[in-house]
């Protein structure tokens, strides 16, 4: 089993005890400043949710919510770019008055 994070795929232990150990270790490492840093906390929690039904549901709901929000912000950015591009090309605006 692998967890997909962006373009990376992170392997997860096959045994339940291994997943719980890895998840707890990552959460603890997330509180230590340095290279693993706070980025390890969400990864550890994600690994811990693999074995719990409520955790799986929460993860799926969160992924769908984040995807929809990302899609909406992407559409808004495109609309702003189009509006900005159309506003900069106003007919007759660049011609000097005589």
């Amino acid at each position: 089993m692998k967890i997909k994070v962006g373009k990376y795929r992170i392997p997860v232990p096959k045994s339940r005890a291994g997943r719980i150990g890895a998840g707890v270790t990552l959460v603890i490492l997330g509180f230590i400043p340095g290279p693993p840093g706070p980025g390890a906390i969400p990864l550890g929690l994600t690994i811990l949710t693999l074995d719990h039904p409520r955790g799986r549901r929460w993860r799926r709901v969160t992924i769908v919510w984040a995807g929809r929000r990302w899609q909406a912000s992407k559409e808004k950015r495109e609309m702003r770019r189009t509006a900005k591009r159309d506003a900069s090309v106003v007919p007759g605006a660049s011609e000097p008055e005589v």
Side-chain angles (χ1 to χ4, degrees):
M1 182 183 312
K2 294 183 180 186
I3 294 177
K4 184 178 176 187
V5 179
K7 64 179 182 178
Y8 301 104
R9 294 187 186 274
I10 301 167
V12 178
K14 291 181 180 180
S15 71
R16 183 170 193 239
R19 286 190 301 268
I20 291 173
V24 170
T25 302
L26 284 169
V27 170
I28 291 171
L29 284 176
F31 289 107
I32 298 173
I41 295 173
L43 184 59
L45 291 175
T46 302
I47 291 173
L48 288 173
T49 61
L50 295 175
D51 292 318
H52 197 272
R54 279 193 182 161
R56 284 192 300 267
R57 178 169 172 73
W58 173 81
R59 186 171 25 94
R60 283 194 309 265
V61 167
T62 304
I63 289 171
V64 169
W65 173 81
R68 288 181 179 161
R69 187 168 176 166
W70 174 258
Q71 202 60 24
S73 68
K74 195 174 175 183
E75 290 172 6
K76 283 182 184 178
R77 281 193 304 269
E78 284 299 319
M79 286 176 50
R80 278 191 226 120
R81 284 185 189 141
T82 304
K84 192 174 183 180
R85 189 175 28 222
D86 293 344
S88 66
V89 183
V90 177
S94 62
E95 298 175 9
E97 291 185 25
V98 180

